[in-house]
Amino acid sequence: MTGTIFNIMRCSINDGPGIRTTVFFKGCPLACPWCHNPESVAREREIVLRDDRCIRCGDCIDSCTSHAISARDGVIVTDRSLCLRCGDCIPSCYAGAREAVGREVSVDEVMHEIVRDRVFYDRSSGGATFSGGEPFLQHEFLMALLEACKRLGIHTAVDTSGCTSPSILERAAPFVDLFLYDMKVMDDQKHTAFTGVSNVLLLENLRRLTAWGKEVIVRIPVIPGLNDDPENIRRSGEWLSSLRTIREVHVLPYHTSGTEKYARLGRRYALGATPTPDQLHLATILNELRHHISRVTLGG
Ligand code: SF4
Ligand code: SF4
């Protein structure tokens, strides 16, 4: 059993309780324009070019038999439509400007990394978190990891948009101690316009989890101009107050860290002019949500 991941982060403190090891799965069915992990979206491995490291030597050009790499006005350019993601150009780059994002790993390899920090989990009530991307996109791999963690008594969290079938969710739920559930926009048309996916199944799945008594932390990114209007915040609060087992709501302000990754992947960052939300506006949002739910925090 193998899967494709793009990172394993040890000693994470932002992906659930305590000290955790977070495994980032590759591949996501949503296309949120604010995503700060754009390397997570494609299911397959990708080649990135770090322009800040490139010394313009041109050695990678000859290494690419697909002729995907060229120099234009002194800048090294990769034609993504020709790139086969073979990685043959990486060893040719002395400067380390070319990197592969995403690697196939076995369950045993991932578990080897997770188990290394078991002593920290025990002391901090931490554990393993499976994030992405959307972990449920590789649900068999996810299941194998969840089962392996549970056999060892390791606390598990899954960071998800909920974009999966109810049957897969039901199969996984007994092996997940905590769901970190992203909620973006209540209006379905807006949700579809922003993310490319309807929110009907996503909201239904959140209701399912709470009906099954699963512990859930809901995470709401606040994206100015997209979902921070009073109507959406009020509807979010009202809807969440109707669910039984929401442990907390975390409000996550829009930030621009990670936007440089878009250029490395040869993509345009669509929210370039979006400001970060100011403190007064965030306080208003927190107050509105607290009318409906008792435990609402900024960040998390
Ligand atoms: S990954 Fe392969 S096809 Fe893509 S640019 Fe590098 S050598 Fe060329
Ligand atoms: S081999 Fe590396 S440093 Fe040289 S031009 Fe290509 S990307 Fe830039």
Side-chain angles (χ1 to χ4, degrees), residues 47 63-64 66 68-69 78 83-89 98:
I47 309 299
S63 71
C64 178
S66 301
I69 308 173
T78 305
C83 176
L84 304 176
R85 304 185 176 99
C86 63
D88 288 352
C89 53
R98 306 190 81 86

Side-chain angles (χ1 to χ4, degrees), residues 75-183:
V75 176
I76 301 299
V77 179
T78 305
D79 184 337
R80 303 275 164 180
S81 67
L82 296 176
C83 176
L84 304 176
R85 304 185 176 99
C86 63
D88 288 352
C89 53
I90 294 172
S92 73
C93 183
Y94 166 77
R98 306 190 81 86
E99 294 174 349
V101 178
R103 59 195 164 102
E104 192 171 339
V105 289
S106 68
V107 171
D108 287 346
E109 285 175 89
V110 176
M111 289 309 299
H112 177 74
E113 289 297 310
I114 289 174
V115 168
R116 285 172 70 185
D117 286 343
R118 199 169 173 183
V119 63
F120 297 117
Y121 314 149
D122 294 343
R123 288 184 186 167
S124 69
S125 300
T129 297
F130 302 104
S131 183
E134 171 51 66
F136 279 110
L137 204 62
Q138 301 182 60
H139 57 88
E140 294 295 350
F141 183 55
L142 174 64
M143 277 304 306
L145 289 167
L146 289 170
E147 288 173 3
C149 284
K150 286 293 105 192
R151 276 196 295 274
L152 296 171
I154 295 173
H155 181 277
T156 58
V158 174
D159 179 7
T160 180
S161 66
C163 191
T164 191
S165 76
S167 60
I168 290 172
L169 195 66
E170 188 171 16
R171 195 175 141 220
F175 300 91
V176 182
D177 295 305
L178 173 67
F179 283 90
L180 305 170
Y181 209 101
D182 298 337
M183 218 179 91

